Amino acid sequence: MAKGVLSFPLTSFHEDGSLDVDGYREHVAGRLAAAPGAVFPACGTGEFFSLDEEEYRQVVTATVEIAAGRLPVVAGTGYGWAQAARFARIAEEAGADALLVMPHYLTAAPQDGLVAQLEQLAARTRLPLIAYQRGQVAYGLDAFRRITEIPGVIGLKDGHSDLDRLQRLTLAAPDGFLFFNGASTAEMQARAYATVGIPAYSSAVHAFAPEIAGAFFTALRDGDGATVDKLLRDFYVPLVELRDRAPGYAVSLVKAAARLRGCPVGPVRAPLTGPSAADLADLTALLSTGLDLVGAAL
């Protein structure tokens, strides 16, 4: 999975909020044409939290069909372990290769409980699990060692960006255990994560501008610091500043940018809302700038 950007596709909705499977299929096919390292349907960027079980089934099934075995399909799951297991069964039936276990719903939990959550889910699915620590989920060293011993748990995606803790975890991990940079706008910290042995990262930008995401990935892989700096300075930093203007923009701005590129992804579902007119204008200008940097067109 470290051989290409990790793609987190958007879930397409009609204007009335219903699932648009045809639009989703078109969107995913376009992302896979850019040769990502893996595809992660129905995760955070894909608004997993707003999908019912039948919609989830359609999204994962469509992704598996389009991927056709060319790359891993890692479906999202989450909430409490009982509900996560229901989604896991659906993903398994749909042919997914693995599951990304997103943070549980709402409540804080002790380390023993975080371990038990994965134990309960792992006992109920044949699919490999990638734990996602973010928000209220953060594994200490002892709990981390315990989750690596759970049959079926193959990796950890991190959204906390605590490099000291991550270095300790990578050094304690068994051979072959996978790590992923899951920070918001992960390119901003991709170099830092790579220094502690975590080169693989998710890219929301890949959902609307695979040309930019691919150029950044190539420059980072090849040690082209000048290009990395230019893309960060002129595109990614302004994107983060725009993203931080309102809650939920980490998804709704991405969807708006995809629509600007002609992708049939539709609106976000409540409780998310679309960007304001002023922010949309700024996004349009920034997207044009970013595409110009890599020789692509809006």
Side-chain angles (χ1 to χ4, degrees):
M1 292 190 202
K3 294 180 179 179
V5 172
L6 303 180
S7 178
F8 284 67
L10 300 153
T11 299
S12 299
F13 300 120
H14 294 291
E15 289 302 319
D16 66 0
S18 60
L19 181 66
D20 178 5
V21 177
D22 291 339
Y24 177 76
R25 293 181 69 93
E26 181 178 336
H27 172 62
V28 171
R31 300 321 95 191
L32 298 196
V39 59
F40 290 67
C43 292
T45 307
E47 296 178 78
F48 166 78
F49 51 83
S50 74
L51 300 176
D52 67 28
E53 291 180 13
E54 179 53 32
E55 291 169 335
Y56 176 87
R57 182 186 301 276
Q58 293 182 64
V59 165
V60 178
T61 298
T63 309
V64 170
E65 290 175 354
I66 295 166
R70 293 175 292 162
L71 74 173
V73 176
V74 184
T77 191
Y79 305 114
W81 62 259
Q83 185 62 50
R86 291 173 65 92
F87 283 105
R89 284 194 294 272
I90 295 170
E92 193 171 322
E93 292 166 0
D97 298 299
L99 294 165
L100 177 64
V101 185
M102 289 180 285
H104 63 271
Y105 172 69
L106 189 59
T107 188
Q111 294 287 291
D112 285 349
L114 298 181
V115 175
Q117 164 87 339
L118 286 177
E119 289 175 335
Q120 293 287 346
L121 179 55
R124 289 165 173 79
T125 181
R126 292 192 297 269
L127 293 179
L129 304 179
I130 298 169
Y132 190 2
Q133 63 170 12
R134 189 177 184 136
Q136 71 269 33
V137 176
Y139 297 101
L141 188 56
D142 178 66
F144 172 75
R145 288 193 176 107
R146 291 165 62 192
I147 70 169
T148 67
E149 296 172 354
I150 299 172
V153 175
I154 64 168
L156 177 73
K157 183 182 180 187
D158 173 74
H160 286 296
S161 305
D162 182 340
L163 296 182
D164 180 280
R165 176 183 296 216
L166 281 172
Q167 185 68 90
R168 296 168 192 263
L169 300 187
T170 59
L171 293 173
D175 290 344
F177 196 81
L178 305 175
F179 286 91
F180 305 92
N181 166 6
S184 296
T185 314
E187 287 90 344
M188 288 290 295
Q189 301 188 59
R191 281 192 293 203
Y193 271 82
T195 64
V196 294
I198 306 177
Y201 64 88
S202 56
S203 175
V205 171
H206 192 269
F208 65 86
E211 306 96 326
I212 299 173
F216 183 91
F217 180 88
T218 299
L220 184 64
R221 180 196 63 197
D222 295 347
D224 182 358
T227 298
V228 169
D229 286 345
K230 186 169 184 59
L231 287 170
L232 287 173
R233 182 173 50 247
D234 296 344
F235 176 74
Y236 283 100
V237 169
L239 179 65
V240 169
E241 292 173 346
L242 183 55
R243 180 201 71 198
D244 289 347
R245 290 183 187 177
Y249 268 17
V251 176
S252 57
L253 273 182
V254 172
K255 241 183 180 176
R259 292 195 300 273
L260 289 172
R261 301 292 309 279
C263 293
V265 295
V268 291
R269 275 183 175 173
L272 300 179
T273 61
S276 68
D279 291 344
L280 184 59
D282 289 345
L283 176 64
T284 303
L286 177 58
L287 180 55
S288 180
T289 296
L291 292 169
D292 284 345
L293 290 172
V294 297
L298 184 61

